[in-house]
Amino acid sequence: MKTSSSDGASIYSRILADIGGGVFAAGTRLKVQDLADRYGTSIIPVREALRLLQGEGIVTIAQNKGATVSNFDSDSLRDIFEVLQLMEPYFVETFARSCTEADLVELEAIQKELEAVPVEDKPTFTGLDLQFHEFIARKHYNGRAFGIWKLQRRILNALAMSVPISRARHAEILQEHRDLIAAFRANDKEQAMTCIKTHVRGAGEQMYLQLKTNRQ
């Protein structure tokens, strides 16, 4: 059976989604044949996907041991949030200047769904949070930058799935989203930039504290 690079990319996305959804926790061994059976494919695209995930630090492959889901550490967290602190304001600035009423209605609809998700349901909450930010980022003209940002967000979501969101941070996220939407409605670029910088910094600090607590 012939396979193509798109097969590997598809399996990559599905493995990443399963890691992000908590199906494969940190430290889980990923057996090639089991993954092939799960996704209804051959072992070749699975191996290709695992190599891609290894290159991004999501999966560790050791000789004679195979692949395992990587543990999330403070260095991984630092690197990703440094990227997000640079890129999120870049997207938000443009969105604040150019967003339409239809854009804001759609963003508010995502926020409404997010507001209804309890703090305990992290996979659903994280997925909708990504959708909220992705809607803003996707509106930017720079598709290459969007692709880089989306990959980093997906990696973050996947590796951090085992790190819980505190109730205090859950409430802060929702309020920060509301503040951001209000700034967009006012076409207030400066306020929107202040909101997103606070939002990303708060997310990084909270996740670092939770990660540190979990390691103790």
Side-chain angles (χ1 to χ4, degrees):
M1 179 171 58
K2 293 183 178 180
T3 62
S4 67
S5 59
S6 62
D7 296 323
S10 173
I11 300 304
Y12 161 91
S13 296
R14 295 174 73 179
I15 296 173
L16 186 60
D18 277 343
I19 294 173
V23 176
F24 303 129
T28 300
R29 186 178 175 191
L30 301 175
K31 298 180 180 179
V32 172
Q33 187 60 60
D34 289 349
L35 293 173
D37 293 342
R38 177 179 177 83
Y39 303 124
T41 187
S42 69
I43 63 174
I44 295 174
V46 171
R47 285 175 173 161
E48 179 184 344
L50 290 175
R51 283 195 295 270
L52 290 172
L53 291 163
Q54 180 189 29
E56 291 160 1
I58 300 171
V59 163
T60 301
I61 299 178
Q63 189 173 7
N64 300 323
K65 292 185 178 180
T68 56
V69 179
S70 300
N71 288 307
F72 191 50
D73 58 26
S74 57
D75 287 343
S76 303
L77 179 68
R78 176 204 62 209
D79 293 349
I80 293 174
F81 271 99
E82 283 184 359
V83 173
L84 295 182
Q85 284 170 341
L86 292 170
M87 300 194 77
E88 292 271 3
Y90 176 64
F91 298 130
V92 161
E93 181 180 15
T94 296
F95 192 85
R97 289 200 311 263
S98 61
C99 61
T100 65
E101 177 61 25
D103 290 334
L104 293 174
V105 167
E106 188 163 350
L107 196 61
E108 287 170 336
I110 298 170
Q111 176 68 10
K112 184 177 180 180
E113 288 187 67
L114 196 60
E115 299 263 2
V117 178
V119 65
E120 297 82 7
D121 188 358
K122 184 171 183 182
T124 301
F125 188 87
T126 299
L128 285 168
D129 181 68
L130 174 60
Q131 190 178 337
F132 180 94
H133 288 275
E134 183 176 341
F135 183 81
I136 295 167
R138 190 182 291 277
K139 292 292 181 177
H140 200 279
Y141 66 85
N142 192 329
R144 188 177 296 273
F146 170 74
I148 294 169
W149 170 87
K150 186 174 181 180
L151 175 60
Q152 295 305 309
R153 277 299 304 254
R154 291 176 69 193
I155 292 172
L156 177 65
N157 286 2
L159 294 180
M161 187 52 62
S162 62
V163 181
I165 302 172
S166 69
R167 290 189 178 277
R169 182 58 196 158
H170 180 265
E172 288 173 353
I173 290 169
L174 296 177
Q175 185 58 56
E176 288 162 3
H177 280 196
R178 295 183 205 114
D179 293 342
L180 191 57
I181 291 172
F184 289 148
R185 280 210 164 275
N187 294 121
D188 189 336
K189 181 183 71 174
E190 286 73 22
Q191 182 59 28
M193 295 283 280
T194 298
C195 288
I196 195 62
K197 288 176 182 178
T198 298
H199 186 57
V200 176
R201 183 174 62 251
E205 290 173 353
Q206 187 272 339
M207 200 172 291
Y208 176 80
L209 289 173
Q210 288 293 116
L211 190 63
K212 187 177 179 180
T213 300
N214 289 356
R215 295 292 186 269
Q216 292 177 345

